[in-house]
Amino acid sequence: MNKSINNNDNSYFNSHEENFKQALELASKDFSDAELYELLKNGNIPQKQIAALRIKTVESEEQARIFLANLTGQDGKIREAVSLRINEFMCNPQTLHYFQNINAYDIFLEAIIDINGNICRNIINAVANMKDSEDFSKYYTNKLIQKIWTLIDIIKDFDLQDGKYKVNKEVFKLYWCLETLYDFADKIKFSELKPILLATKEINDYTIREKTARILTLNFQDDDLNKIKIQLKSDNNYYVRRF
């Protein structure tokens, strides 16, 4: 058994050492953007990761699609590098428009609930640059609200206790959906937003109540939400009541 473990360990370290050597070699070589896009499209993990980081710009919808194809369903190193660059490109008005299509919007909805929080932050920040697009905001917020209610329906029956918090993927997803909701609250009908806040303030998980409290700092002129805001300011968790 020990011999088998050692062999597996050697294979593991050899693989990572080889990946490191490839990444180092790629980082030191000169490539055109066309060559880097080919690596991002068809390369292995280190090739895609380095290519994503070294590409200078996006100049077409096809190049944007290559980035988007690597934002989900890939190794975490690739997803994080790609999300970082997509955020940069979408913060630039000259390249933002290459990412404005429905297929991209659906990919963004998946990326904001990635298991890697850095990816979630990068994409939430990226899509905020499109909130003034009426077509995007309507499509994106409708899908976001559907996703939030699906998660609430799953989570509401969980046995969650403060002080005994165990990371749960549905709770994690709802956390990032509410983070996104904060940025788009002014694009959502109040009649759709209010029920979400009434529901999430009841979830016995402080991270969800924290996001609810943050959204309530937007100062809605509504008696029910003002009562919730006061209630959460007396929450037993500091991160909730700080808002």
Side-chain angles (χ1 to χ4, degrees):
M1 182 176 292
N2 288 337
K3 184 176 180 181
S4 175
I5 292 175
N6 288 336
N7 286 339
N8 288 338
D9 286 348
N10 288 338
S11 175
Y12 174 84
F13 288 117
N14 287 340
S15 174
H16 279 261
E17 183 178 359
E18 181 60 31
N19 284 345
F20 177 77
K21 287 180 179 178
Q22 282 193 48
L24 190 62
E25 181 181 355
L26 288 165
S28 62
K29 292 179 66 175
D30 289 329
F31 292 96
S32 67
D33 263 15
E35 291 171 322
L36 290 171
Y37 271 106
E38 183 60 30
L39 287 175
L40 183 57
K41 186 176 180 180
N42 296 310
N44 58 26
I45 292 173
Q47 289 172 340
K48 288 190 172 193
Q49 182 185 21
I50 294 299
L53 294 172
R54 291 192 59 188
I55 287 171
K56 296 180 181 66
T57 189
V58 170
E59 296 180 332
S60 68
E61 289 187 6
E62 175 58 27
Q63 290 180 345
R65 280 194 290 270
I66 293 172
F67 266 96
L68 290 164
N70 286 282
L71 184 56
T72 59
Q74 298 288 330
D75 180 86
K77 298 183 186 70
I78 298 170
R79 300 196 318 275
E80 185 165 0
V82 165
S83 72
L84 177 68
R85 299 312 309 286
I86 287 177
N87 185 22
E88 292 177 14
F89 297 139
M90 292 181 64
C91 287
N92 183 345
Q94 295 182 334
T95 49
L96 171 63
H97 62 282
Y98 293 126
F99 295 89
Q100 291 181 303
N101 60 80
I102 288 180
N103 290 333
Y105 304 162
D106 288 333
I107 294 172
F108 293 145
L109 282 162
E110 291 304 311
I112 63 167
I113 54 173
D114 194 282
I115 194 171
N116 182 327
N118 290 330
I119 296 170
C120 302
R121 290 186 189 93
N122 286 336
I123 300 305
I124 289 171
N125 187 64
V127 298
N129 292 287
M130 296 194 295
K131 64 180 295 185
D132 289 334
S133 166
E134 184 176 350
D135 289 342
F136 168 75
S137 289
K138 183 177 181 180
Y139 182 89
Y140 198 73
T141 56
N142 284 342
K143 292 280 188 173
L144 179 66
I145 288 169
Q146 291 174 23
K147 190 177 290 289
I148 286 173
W149 279 116
T150 297
L151 291 167
I152 289 173
D153 287 342
I154 295 171
I155 294 168
K156 66 183 181 181
D157 296 325
F158 283 0
D159 183 16
L160 301 168
Q161 298 181 25
D162 284 350
K164 296 182 179 179
Y165 179 72
K166 183 178 180 180
V167 175
N168 177 279
K169 63 181 182 180
E170 282 80 15
V171 172
F172 187 81
K173 290 176 182 179
L174 181 58
Y175 174 94
W176 289 111
C177 283
L178 293 176
E179 180 75 7
T180 308
L181 189 69
Y182 175 84
D183 285 342
F184 285 86
D186 60 335
K187 302 296 182 182
I188 299 172
K189 292 179 181 178
F190 184 73
S191 60
E192 295 180 310
L193 183 61
K194 179 177 176 178
I196 290 174
L197 298 176
L198 291 174
T200 55
K201 70 97 175 177
E202 297 291 344
I203 293 177
N204 190 24
D205 179 279
Y206 80 88
T207 66
I208 302 305
R209 298 197 308 280
E210 175 192 358
K211 290 304 172 190
T212 304
R214 182 169 181 248
I215 295 170
L216 287 169
T217 62
L218 297 173
N219 294 319
F220 302 101
Q221 300 303 309
D222 180 85
D223 289 342
D224 293 330
L225 294 189
N226 285 334
K227 288 178 183 177
I228 295 173
K229 186 175 181 178
I230 294 171
Q231 176 185 336
L232 292 177
K233 280 188 174 295
S234 301
D235 196 272
N236 60 9
N237 186 280
Y238 164 76
Y239 292 101
V240 180
R241 64 176 181 267
R242 66 182 170 145
F243 290 109

